Amino acid sequence: MNKNLISVKTVVAIGIGAALVFVLMRFVAIPSGVPNTNLNLGIAVLAVFAAIFGPIAGFLIGFIGHMLVDLTWGGVWWSWVISSGLFGLAVGCCWKFMKIEEGGFNVKKAITFNIVQILANAVVWGGIAPTLDILIYSEPANKVYLQGIVAGSLNAVVVLILGTLLLFGYTKTIAKSGSLKAE
């Protein structure tokens, strides 16, 4: 039995997701008032793709998308690139439970999705990213933890609103099995 680790559909989703994350994070970023920290709509797209296609896709979309953003700004900030990947990985872990490709994203699944994404934002941006900034770049702790808390809070709100709406909208486009009848 020859089973691929990821399907062709998932590979395509990784490419499209990374491109969307790049465009939204690079060109639709709204400054937060805290240096080097923006309100990013791309995080909602990352969370949605991760919830639909799983943790591997989530990690790669976050990692590649954020890396492309940093490359176009002149230098890769690896602590945050890795953290974007870890956020996608964490949200993608709810993929099997959500079964979004089967349709039926309901209030219970929306609550679960948002609990997962809020916890992932708190851990990744409030803990991992700032700690990596200190370890890799010797950044001052008070600066990077403030950036992480602000980024994580903004991300959680964006995913709560935009991500949830995108998932409800996406599942409305999926034909339920057995919904087509022969005439």
Side-chain angles (χ1 to χ4, degrees):
M1 174 176 351
N2 183 14
K3 243 185 166 178
N4 293 332
L5 185 60
I6 54 176
S7 69
V8 172
K9 184 177 180 180
T10 303
V11 171
V12 171
I14 291 167
I16 292 169
L20 287 171
V21 167
F22 164 69
V23 168
L24 290 171
M25 287 178 74
R26 178 65 169 89
F27 300 109
V28 191
I30 302 164
S32 70
V34 173
N36 303 315
T37 308
N38 299 312
L39 183 141
N40 282 306
L41 302 180
I43 199 74
V45 170
L46 170 56
V48 166
F49 272 72
I52 294 170
F53 296 101
I56 294 170
F59 178 82
L60 291 172
I61 291 167
F63 187 89
I64 295 166
H66 198 135
M67 183 180 62
L68 292 172
V69 170
D70 283 5
L71 283 170
T72 61
W73 282 115
V76 179
W77 205 255
W78 290 109
S79 51
W80 284 57
V81 169
I82 292 165
S83 295
S84 287
L86 292 175
F87 174 77
L89 177 81
V91 173
C93 285
C94 72
W95 160 64
K96 287 283 189 192
F97 168 76
M98 302 297 280
K99 298 179 182 175
I100 292 169
E101 282 291 291
E102 296 173 16
F105 187 72
N106 54 31
V107 173
K108 181 180 175 186
K109 288 181 181 180
I111 290 169
T112 302
F113 169 74
N114 281 295
I115 289 170
V116 169
Q117 70 89 2
I118 289 168
L119 289 173
N121 271 305
V123 170
V124 169
W125 304 114
I128 295 171
T131 302
L132 288 174
D133 279 345
I134 294 165
L135 295 173
I136 297 170
Y137 303 108
S138 300
E139 289 287 321
N142 59 341
K143 172 189 163 191
V144 294
Y145 281 104
L146 173 63
Q147 289 173 329
I149 290 167
V150 169
S153 299
L154 291 173
N155 288 350
V157 171
V158 168
V159 176
L160 176 76
I161 297 167
L162 183 58
T164 303
L165 289 173
L166 287 171
L167 283 171
F168 273 118
Y170 176 75
T171 56
K172 297 291 183 204
T173 68
I174 300 171
K176 300 205 178 8
S177 64
S179 66
L180 299 176
K181 301 199 183 335
E183 291 183 19

